[in-house]
Amino acid sequence: RQTKDGRWREGVVMLRALMAQIPDAGLTGTQRHIDLLNALSTILAIGRGDLDERIALHEERFRVARTLYGPKDGWYAYTLADSVPTLRRSPRHLDRAEAISREAVGIVDRVYRKPHLFAAVAYCNYAGLLVQRSRYEQAMPYYDRTIAIDEALSRNDRHAQSCRHGRAHVRAALGQYEAAIADLAQDREMIAKLGAAVGSLKLDNCGLHASVLLRSQ
């Protein structure tokens, strides 16, 4: 019987082999090409694979998505925004991550007039990057826009939960303690509905809640 690590490695080997066949199969720049890039970057993220390789895959995703969808398309914006959490793990790529975030936000601002998942992802991931750079006041309106979309779409996935927790963190940093506690209450409700392994999420919520209570005294 194979271990989980063995199964992960098997998946990586299989996807890399398929990627190597893309040129000879005449699939360069096609939907199949970007689907394989998405799959390989995702499985490497799950297994915490080499960060430089993951970033290189995202850069290739940008090139293919720009050709496939066009530079003004929502799918291209999503491809950009989806890479930001990976790129901002490396201090060397923070400026690149911010430029990509701003491009994604600019596209979704033009494309979507109604609440849309891709806009929520672009706004939230940009907000997270701004927080990483300690620009809390700039991050707040993007979290607000994200959560308004999430509520309109009744989203309760892991990304929506992380955005709610992110806004609670920003509100606490700005001294908006009552609002932070309200967000943390919503965060707990979302965690309870996720039904997955959420132990660390509960600890994060509890730790921030305790910090807010102490600072608000």
Side-chain angles (χ1 to χ4, degrees):
R1 179 171 175 163
Q2 289 181 296
T3 64
K4 289 183 179 180
D5 183 63
R7 296 292 293 176
W8 175 79
R9 293 182 184 279
E10 180 184 340
V12 171
V13 169
M14 180 186 70
L15 288 170
R16 283 176 175 158
L18 290 171
M19 282 292 302
Q21 298 172 29
I22 287 286
D24 290 342
L27 295 173
T28 301
T30 65
Q31 186 64 51
R32 183 66 59 84
H33 187 182
I34 202 166
D35 287 345
L36 280 173
L37 287 167
N38 291 343
L40 182 53
S41 62
T42 298
I43 197 171
L44 287 172
I46 292 170
R48 298 188 178 182
D50 181 74
L51 182 59
D52 286 340
E53 180 182 4
R54 289 160 57 192
I55 289 173
L57 286 168
H58 281 297
E59 292 287 354
E60 188 172 355
R61 284 178 71 199
F62 304 156
R63 293 191 292 271
V64 176
R66 187 178 178 89
T67 300
L68 187 63
Y69 306 130
K72 299 179 181 180
D73 188 84
W75 273 103
Y76 176 57
Y78 173 77
T79 302
L80 295 173
D82 186 51
S83 74
V84 172
T86 299
L87 268 69
R88 70 186 183 92
R89 288 179 179 273
S90 168
R92 293 183 293 111
H93 292 275
L94 270 179
D95 288 343
R96 174 70 169 146
E98 181 162 356
I100 286 168
S101 289
R102 292 172 66 88
E103 184 178 359
V105 165
I107 295 169
V108 298
D109 278 347
R110 293 190 297 270
V111 170
Y112 299 112
R113 293 292 176 264
K114 295 181 179 180
H116 196 283
L117 168 65
F118 293 172
V121 171
Y123 296 145
C124 181
N125 288 359
Y126 184 37
L129 184 141
L130 292 171
V131 168
Q132 185 172 345
R133 303 197 117 175
S134 301
R135 288 150 58 184
Y136 300 107
E137 291 185 356
Q138 291 180 44
M140 179 61 79
Y142 290 100
Y143 275 131
D144 288 344
R145 293 165 80 177
T146 298
I147 290 170
I149 293 171
D150 289 344
E151 290 178 343
L153 299 179
S154 300
R155 287 184 70 211
N156 198 84
D157 57 23
R158 178 68 182 84
H159 186 268
Q161 178 272 323
S162 70
C163 298
R164 177 71 70 166
H165 186 88
R167 190 172 73 172
H169 172 73
V170 170
R171 283 177 158 174
L174 294 175
Q176 300 171 9
Y177 300 127
E178 290 186 9
I181 288 172
D183 266 342
L184 287 168
Q186 289 291 323
D187 183 34
R188 285 192 295 276
E189 289 185 14
M190 296 175 80
I191 291 169
K193 292 176 182 177
L194 285 173
V198 294
S200 63
L201 304 182
K202 291 180 179 178
L203 288 174
D204 288 345
N205 182 287
C206 182
L208 182 56
H209 194 184
S211 175
V212 171
L213 291 175
L214 284 171
R215 282 185 277 174
S216 63
Q217 298 303 313

